[in-house]
Every structure is written in structure tokens, then in C-alpha cells.
Amino acid sequence: MKALKETGRYEVDAEVLAKINETFIGFCADEAQTAQTILANKKDSDYLIDTHTAVACSAAVQYRADMPADDRVTVIASTASPYKFPYDVIESLGEKASDNAFECLDKLSALTSTDIPAPLARLKNAEVRFKETVGRETAELWAAAERFITK
């Protein structure tokens, strides 16, 4: 763990690596594959998925292609709403996303005949409570934290 902290990586010995490789396999999906998966899933099953679920679905398809003899059931736990990522989901469906988040929510609802989740819909008329932005420099962050704590 010290090496991970200091160098951003660590290595395991050959025996541990062999055991890991016996148990785990990994796949990934870039933005284009993620978008294609969202669109294909909507077209094929009329089910709208979010970007994270699309990566999992893409990985499952890749796994099936690499391991055709594995006939075990694959379960993907989708835990995010497509409305959490409206820009990306709209663009994945082949439409132009607005720069306005609320317009994107409305457009996604219209495109998919699904309801905007109530907590997100309520935000449209909610009061903006936090208006201050803080730079990324350490001194700015500390100063902002101090102002916040002493309020």
C-alpha cells in the first residue's frame, strides 16, 4: 500500500497474480461503446439505461464473445438513473443535448416516454442555495472551508 501511495501503483508476486487471473477478468467500454450500448439497449428492449449500466452491459457482451462456452446467467445491477446523466444519454440516442440541464431532462422524458424522477423534477423550481465557487488552489480551498466553518 505504501508503493501505491507513493508511486500510484503496486505489484504482486507471480503466484498471487496467477490466482487473481484464475478468478477475475476485466473489460472496459469507451465513450463511443457506451453510447452505442445505450442506443442498442433502447432499440432492442425499449429499456433506457444510464452510462454506468451501459459500461456493464458492454462488458457482459464482450465477456460472452470471449467466453462462448460459459453459459452461466449474467446479472447486471443497474443502480443509477439515466436522468442523472441526461446530456450523455440524449446524445447516445442520436439527439442534440441542450446546455440547460432542465431542458435535457424534459427532452429525455419526451424522447423515451418516461417520467423524470420526482427529486430531479423538483429541482427545477428549487431555490439556489449555494452560489459561491472556489478555485482548486489549496489556499483557496482552505480559506473557503474556514469561511464555511465560521459562519
Side-chain angles (χ1 to χ4, degrees), residues 12-29:
V12 295
D13 63 43
E15 183 180 334
V16 171
L17 182 59
K19 287 181 182 179
I20 290 170
N21 287 332
E22 287 174 14
T23 307
F24 294 96
I25 188 167
F27 296 93
C28 62

Side-chain angles (χ1 to χ4, degrees), residues 131-135 140 147:
K131 299 173 183 152
E132 181 181 355
T133 58
V134 179
E140 291 178 72
R147 283 193 310 275

Side-chain angles (χ1 to χ4, degrees), residues 31-106:
E31 289 183 20
Q33 290 168 307
T34 301
Q36 186 272 333
T37 302
I38 290 169
L39 179 61
N41 203 59
K42 181 69 174 123
K43 283 183 176 179
D44 296 344
S45 65
D46 197 31
Y47 186 74
L48 186 62
I49 58 175
D50 66 277
T51 53
H52 296 178
T53 303
V55 171
C57 289
S58 178
V61 168
Q62 293 173 61
Y63 177 80
R64 289 281 176 228
D66 281 6
M67 306 290 200
D70 186 348
D71 62 354
R72 292 177 288 181
V73 172
T74 301
V75 176
I76 297 170
S78 177
T79 59
S81 167
Y83 284 91
K84 186 175 177 184
F85 312 96
Y87 302 100
D88 296 317
V89 174
I90 287 170
E91 300 260 330
S92 297
L93 296 175
E95 299 286 331
K96 177 82 174 111
S98 166
D99 289 336
N100 181 292
F102 296 112
E103 288 176 11
C104 282
L105 293 176
D106 291 336

